Amino acid sequence: MVDDTIFDKILRGDIPCDAVYSDDRCLAFRDIAPQAPVHVLVIPRKPIESLRSAVAADEALLGHLLLVAARVANQEGLDDFRTVINSGSGAGQTVFHLHVHVIGGRSLDWPPG
Ligand code: AMP
C-alpha cells in the first residue's frame, strides 16, 4: 500500500487546499510555497506514488492530468507555462503522490537546476 501523503489528506478533505479545478479523476490546487506567480499542482485521485510507478492502465489518466494542466494554465491566463513532474528524491520529489506542477507568470530559465 502507498504511504498516506499530505496530498491524500487534501484529497480526503482532512486538510484544506486552494482548489482551482476538480473532477472525478483529479484535483488541482495552488502550491503552498509557490515558485512563480502561478504555481498549481494537478494530482490524480488514484494514489500513484510517482511517474516511475505508473503502469499501462494509467495511460488515459496520465493524459488527462496533462490536459487538465493545460486547462488550468489557460484558466490562469497563461500563454507560456512549464509543466514539471519530479520522480524520485534525487529529482526533487518530496511528496510521494504523483503530481504535475504548472508554473508560470514569469520568465523561466532552462535548463532547470
Ligand atoms: P515535489 O517537490 O515535486 O514533490 O513537489 C511537492 C510540492 O508540494 C512542493 O512544491 C510543495 O510546496 C507542495 N506542497 C506541500 N504541501 C502542500 C500543501 N499542504 N498544499 C499545497 N502544496 C503543498
Side-chain angles (χ1 to χ4, degrees), residues 36-81:
V38 176
H39 188 168
V40 170
L41 303 171
V42 184
I43 72 173
R45 294 188 181 280
K46 179 180 175 182
I48 300 169
E49 184 190 308
S50 80
L51 187 58
R52 64 189 179 184
S53 54
V55 296
D58 298 321
E59 185 172 341
L61 175 59
L62 295 175
H64 183 65
L65 296 177
L66 289 182
L67 288 175
V68 169
R71 176 185 176 137
V72 165
N74 180 262
Q75 198 174 289
E76 295 290 319
L78 298 176
D79 276 335
D80 302 334
F81 61 93

Side-chain angles (χ1 to χ4, degrees), residues 6-7 10 15-17 29-35 39 41 86 92-96 99 101:
I6 191 128
F7 291 172
I10 287 173
I15 63 171
C17 72
F29 55 91
R30 297 192 193 283
D31 196 293
I32 202 166
Q35 300 301 309
H39 188 168
L41 303 171
N86 296 322
Q93 186 174 9
T94 59
V95 179
F96 287 84
H99 49 283
H101 295 259

